[in-house]
Amino acid sequence: MTRPTISDVARAAGVSKGAVSYALNGRPGVSEATRRRILAAADALGFHADRAARALAGAPAKTVGLTLYRPARTLGVEPFFMELISGLEAELSLRSYALLLHMVADREQETAVYRRWGHDHAVDGVLVCDVLDDDPRLPVLRELGLPAVVIGPFPAGGRVSSVWSDDAVSLQEAVEYLVALGHRRIGRVAGIPDLAHTRIRCAAFANLARKLRLECAPTEYTDYTGPDGARATRLLLGAADPPTALVYDNDIMAVAGLAVAQEMGLTVPGDLSVVAWDDSPVCRIVHPALTALTRDIAAYGRQAAQLLLASLDGREATGVSVEAAHLTPRASTAGPANARPPA
Amino acid sequence: MTRPTISDVARAAGVSKGAVSYALNGRPGVSEATRRRILAAADALGFHADRAARALAGAPAKTVGLTLYRPARTLGVEPFFMELISGLEAELSLRSYALLLHMVADREQETAVYRRWGHDHAVDGVLVCDVLDDDPRLPVLRELGLPAVVIGPFPAGGRVSSVWSDDAVSLQEAVEYLVALGHRRIGRVAGIPDLAHTRIRCAAFANLARKLRLECAPTEYTDYTGPDGARATRLLLGAADPPTALVYDNDIMAVAGLAVAQEMGLTVPGDLSVVAWDDSPVCRIVHPALTALTRDIAAYGRQAAQLLLASLDGREATGVSVEAAHLTPRASTAGPANARPPA
DNA sequence: CTGAAAGCGCTTACAG
DNA sequence: CTGAAAGCGCTTACAG
C-alpha cells in the first residue's frame, strides 16, 4: 500500500531506474518503444516522482515562491492579491507546479526567505510583488541565481522579466474623462509612495495636470487601507478649494472615500466624482456603483506564471506588457454641480 | 560561496555529521558542551538544513498544506480566507513552517492533491476548510495518515481536531437583537447549503424562529458571491410580506444586499435592517456602516496552525472552540419603520 | 557519548 | 540505446 518508487516502475517495465527517469523527463536515451512501455507502466502503478527526491538530486522542485509583504497591523490582504493568486494558481496547476506562499512583516525577512529558498531546493523561482525603485531584493535574487519575474513595472536595473501594464495610459483615460465632464480640480488618493508603480502614476498625473491645465491636482499618499483612504479623503476635501473629483489608487480606499463624502454631506456624483483604480466586486456593489479602472488582475497572475515557467524552461523573456486598465464608467462620476465654464 | 552543509558544520565543530544532526534537532546523544559547540558552529556558518534532504530522509518537511476550493468562475477569494491565511502564516512563520497553497476547481482534485502531498514528503499535515457534513476528504486523510486540522465545526466522524466557534450563539445574539428592535420578519441570506457550518446556522435559525415566534423566517441559499447575494436579496424582498431585517452569511453579500435595497428605494435602516456575518473593513466603509457579527478570523488561523503543529509534535488535541462572533451594532440596523406592536 | 555507514528516491554522467 | 554507480544532504539505527 506504500507508494510506488521509480524502482517499481523499472521492475515493471523491465528496465533500469535510469531509463525510467529519462523516459519520464522526456530526455533522449531511450527508444520510443521502451519510452512508451515505461510510461504505461508508470501510469498503471500511479507513479509520481517524489518532489523532495527530485529536488535533492538537483532537478526542479516544481514549486515557485511568492512572498507577500504585510506590515503586522494590516490584517488580511487586498482583493488585488487574491485575484493575482487565483491567476497564478490557474497557470501553475496546469503545469503541476506548487505555490509556496510566505507572508513577511518586513523587508529584511523577505530577502532572508529568498536566501533560504535559494539554498533550500525549495523553489525553482520566485514571483516578486510590490517592487520599489531600486528594489533591494533584485540583486539578492540575482546573486542567488534564483529566476524571478516581477509583477509590476519593469525595474530600472533590467535583467529581470516583468509583467505590467502602462499605468500612465490608464490614468490619462480617467483624467481626460473627468476633464471632459467639466472637472478642473482633480485630486488623487495614492498608495505607498515608495512603490515603483506609485511613482509612475504620480509622474503621469503631474504631466496630465500640466498638459490639461488643471486648476489644482493635489495628491495624498496612503498605505492602501480603508481608514487611511478615508483620512486622505477628509484632508483633500477639507482644503480651501477642494477637488470636485478624486481618483483612488485602489478600490478599498475609493469605497471608504465614498462613505466619507456622504458623511460630509456631499452627494456623489453631484458634489464629488469618484474613480477607483481596480475594479473588484465591491465597486459594483456600493451605491452609487463606482466608476473604475478595470483590468484583468488574474491575467497578470497567469502571465507572470507563464513567464516564470518559461524562464525555468530556459526560454528567456524580458518583459511582457499586458492590456492597460480601462475606464468603466458607472454612477459615481458626473459633471461637477457648479462647474464654472472652461476659462 | 555555496551554502554550508551539515558536513561543513561537523568539520568546523570537529564532530561527525550524525552528532550535528542530533544537536540541531535537540535529540539526546550529544553532551551539553558539544551541543553548544555545534550550535555555535552552525550559527557562525549560517547553516540551515536543506528541506528537501530532511524530507527525503524521513524528517518533517516543516511545511503544511492548504487547499482552497474555488469553482472556476469565482475570481478571487473572500476576505475571510485572506485573514485566515494571515493568521496561519503568523503562527507558521514563528515556527519556521512554510505554507503550501493549492487552489482547486473541484473536490476530486482536492483529494488528489492530498494524495500527492501524502506520498510526496511535501507537507507534514494539512489544514482543511469548507467542511461538508460527512466530508469525503477526511477518510482520505486518515487513510494517508496525514495529520489534519479542520477549520470549521467539529466533524461528525470525530477523530480529527477542529477549530471553530459556536455559530448558534452568534446567530442568537443577532436575531434577539433584531427582535428587541421590533422585527418580527427576519430573513437569512445563507451560504452554500452543503457546508457543515451553513447547516448549523440554518438549524439554529429555525430554532430561534420557533422560540421567538417570528412571523416569517425565510432563508435563501447562495454561493457567497456579491451577485448571488444581490439575487437572494431581491427574491426575499420581493415576497408578499417581505422581511424587515436580513442577516447575511458573509460581508460581501451584505454589502451587495445593501445596494439592492437602496436601488429598490428602501432606506436602510428605516425600511430594512442589515446584519453581516464577518466584519471586514468593507462593513465599516459602506454607508450606512453595517452591523456585523465580528470575530477574529486571524485568530482562527493562528489557533488552527497551533493545533496542527501540536499534533505534528505528537501532542494530540481534539478540538478547540474559539470565541464566538459577537454583534457589533452599527448604523444599518434600527427598529422597523412601521413596526406593529408585539402581539 | 560519539563515529562510520546505510538509506531516503530520485538524476545524471559514465561505461558498455 | 541501455545498465550500474555515484551523489544530492540529510537522519537514524548500529557498533564502538
Side-chain angles (χ1 to χ4, degrees), chain A residues 185-211:
Chain A
R185 300 197 304 279
I186 301 177
R188 232 182 113 240
V189 175
I192 297 173
D194 299 343
L195 296 179
H197 76 268
T198 304
R199 305 280 276 264
I200 288 176
R201 292 180 186 181
C202 287
F205 190 54
N207 261 335
L208 287 165
R210 199 171 341 105
K211 216 174 65 185

Side-chain angles (χ1 to χ4, degrees), chain B residues 49-76:
Chain B
D50 181 303
R51 267 194 160 83
R54 282 174 54 89
L56 186 56
K62 292 216 154 205
T63 302
V64 304
L66 172 68
T67 57
L68 247 36
Y69 168 60
R70 297 291 95 182
R73 87 204 143 53
T74 306
L75 229 57

